[in-house]
């Protein structure tokens, strides 16, 4: 049995903790921590720690899931690398590419693959099937990708930049994974905002990504779409198109339930699967360019 500790007992930490306790063969939820003790207690782990560093040092914790706020990701991930413990860190890996680079370098110096980033879409059966078809050459050379990322609503603290760094960061990763190449430029355009968006929130956004080989990707990121959780992806190739099946869910917990479970199973399998620290760095660099484009109103190269 692999003992897993979960840092953070919010929505994502609770999803991971419940899956580890009941749905991931070979795993055991051994410890949890959260500043909100009542939230941590609800996850029913044998040990509650006062903080993430104590959890990482716990000998009953063989591997760590980080699902705490983004500013804590770097110190906790670095502590896991220093302790030689495999870590699954929720997305985004870090808020800046500089911080992600420090993690890449620390992991490289450790000589082991220890860091996986929680880009769970790579484990979603529909995306896996789409990639298999693409790799088999079913539609020939890809030319365009159309994506939509719609959430019914978001918390009041969600700002315009977070539509890129917290939501469209998934497309930054999945497009790189699907096409097997880097994104080199980002151009964010905004129409008038929906009346559902709180004052000042630029929602929706149209995010245009250009890849190294000149595939053009449009991402509609719309976080107060109201009607449901709707994730779309269509790849247009020279000989046809491939798309995810249309499916409107209530939220990401429902839409990606299989992906979250498959992600944990794959992570604990010991196989080198899932998004790496370098993938986390690449996504951070794309988001940085996106946030700059949003502020400056022009296409921005990705510096990586
Ligand atoms: C959230 O944090 C997620 O990761 C969801 O997958 C995404 O759809 C949502 O926009 C994010 O806020």
């Amino acid at each position: 049995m692999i003992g897993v500790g979960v840092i953070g007992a919010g929505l994502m930490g609770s999803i991971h903790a419940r899956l580890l306790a009941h749905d991931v063969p070979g795993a055991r939820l051994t410890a949890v921590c959260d500043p909100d003790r009542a939230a941590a207690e609800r996850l029913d782990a044998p040990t509650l720690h006062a903080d993430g560093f104590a959890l990482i040092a716990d000998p009953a914790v063989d591997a760590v899931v980080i699902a705490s706020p983004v500013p804590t990701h770097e110190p906790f991930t670095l502590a896991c690398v220093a302790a030689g413990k495999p870590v699954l860190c929720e997305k985004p890996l870090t808020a800046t590419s500089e911080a992600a680079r420090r993690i890449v370098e620390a992991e490289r110096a450790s000589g082991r693959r220890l860091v996986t980033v929680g880009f769970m879409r790579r484990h979603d059966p529909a995306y896996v099937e789409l990639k298999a078809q693409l790799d088999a050459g079913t539609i020939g050379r890809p030319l365009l990708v159309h994506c939509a990322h719609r959430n019914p609503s978001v918390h009041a603290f969600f700002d315009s930049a977070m539509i890129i760094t917290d939501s469209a960061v998934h497309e930054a990763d999945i497009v790189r994974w699907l096409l097997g190449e880097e994104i080199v430029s980002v151009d964010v355009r905004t129409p008038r905002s929906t009346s559902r968006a709180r004052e000042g929130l630029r929602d929706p956004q149209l995010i245009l990504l250009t890849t190294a080989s000149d595939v053009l990707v449009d991402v509609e990121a719309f976080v107060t779409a109201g009607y449901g959780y709707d994730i779309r992806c269509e790849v247009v190739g020279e000989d046809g198109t491939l798309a995810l099946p249309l499916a409107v869910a209530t939220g990401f917990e429902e839409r990606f339930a299989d992906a979250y479970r498959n992600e944990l199973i794959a992570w604990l399998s010991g196989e080198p699967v899932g998004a790496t620290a370098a993938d986390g760095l690449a996504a951070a660099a794309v988001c940085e360019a996106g946030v700059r484009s949003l502020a400056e109103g022009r296409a921005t190269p990705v510096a990586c």
Side-chain angles (χ1 to χ4, degrees), residues 91 120-121 149 151 158 166-167 170 223 229 231 252 260:
K91 49 58 58 175
M120 78 298 181
R121 290 187 184 187
H149 185 154
N151 291 192
F158 222 86
D166 199 69
S167 300
H170 282 292
V223 299
Y229 188 76
I231 302 298
F252 55 85
Y260 290 123

Side-chain angles (χ1 to χ4, degrees), residues 11-12 90-92 118-121 149-155 157-158 162-163 165-171 222-223 229-231 251-253 256 260:
L11 177 57
M12 279 318 305
E90 259 309 322
K91 49 58 58 175
F119 284 124
M120 78 298 181
R121 290 187 184 187
H149 185 154
R150 301 188 187 131
N151 291 192
S153 60
V154 281
H155 292 293
F157 59 74
F158 222 86
M162 284 181 76
I163 295 181
T165 60
D166 199 69
S167 300
V169 65
H170 282 292
E171 274 74 18
F222 188 7
V223 299
Y229 188 76
D230 192 357
I231 302 298
F252 55 85
E253 310 90 305
F256 288 111
Y260 290 123

Side-chain angles (χ1 to χ4, degrees), residues 52-65:
F53 297 109
L55 179 143
I56 294 164
D58 182 342
V61 170
D62 304 310
V64 179
V65 172

Side-chain angles (χ1 to χ4, degrees), residues 1-4 20-21 24-30 60 62:
M1 281 296 213
I2 304 172
V4 184
L20 288 162
V24 179
R28 208 164 69 84
L29 177 69
T30 46
D62 304 310

Side-chain angles (χ1 to χ4, degrees), residues 135-293:
D135 290 351
T138 316
I139 60 163
R141 210 162 59 112
L143 307 170
L144 291 164
V145 186
H146 305 296
C147 305
H149 185 154
R150 301 188 187 131
N151 291 192
S153 60
V154 281
H155 292 293
F157 59 74
F158 222 86
D159 63 22
S160 301
M162 284 181 76
I163 295 181
I164 300 167
T165 60
D166 199 69
S167 300
V169 65
H170 282 292
E171 274 74 18
D173 180 68
I174 208 71
V175 162
R176 291 181 60 254
W177 178 75
L178 282 172
L179 300 177
E181 59 173 319
E182 294 303 331
I183 293 162
V184 296
S185 125
V186 187
D187 191 3
V188 180
R189 309 284 301 272
T190 51
R192 61 183 179 187
S193 294
T194 168
S195 48
R196 275 206 188 80
R198 63 158 182 74
E199 183 65 29
L201 186 68
R202 305 301 303 266
D203 188 41
Q205 299 180 10
L206 189 60
I207 303 169
L208 295 171
L209 310 172
T210 307
T211 72
S213 77
D214 233 2
V215 176
L216 201 54
V217 182
D218 56 271
V219 181
E220 174 206 313
F222 188 7
V223 299
T224 51
Y227 70 93
Y229 188 76
D230 192 357
I231 302 298
R232 302 183 185 201
C233 180
E234 181 190 26
V235 184
V236 180
E238 291 182 357
D239 304 323
T241 81
L242 289 167
L244 297 179
L246 292 181
V248 180
T250 53
F252 55 85
E253 310 90 305
E254 181 195 344
R255 169 63 184 84
F256 288 111
D258 289 342
Y260 290 123
R261 194 185 56 251
N262 295 345
E263 170 183 62
L264 287 169
I265 293 171
W267 173 55
L268 294 175
S269 72
E271 298 296 317
V273 286
T276 62
D279 293 319
L281 166 58
V286 171
C287 290
E288 263 168 8
V291 171
R292 204 168 316 131
S293 172

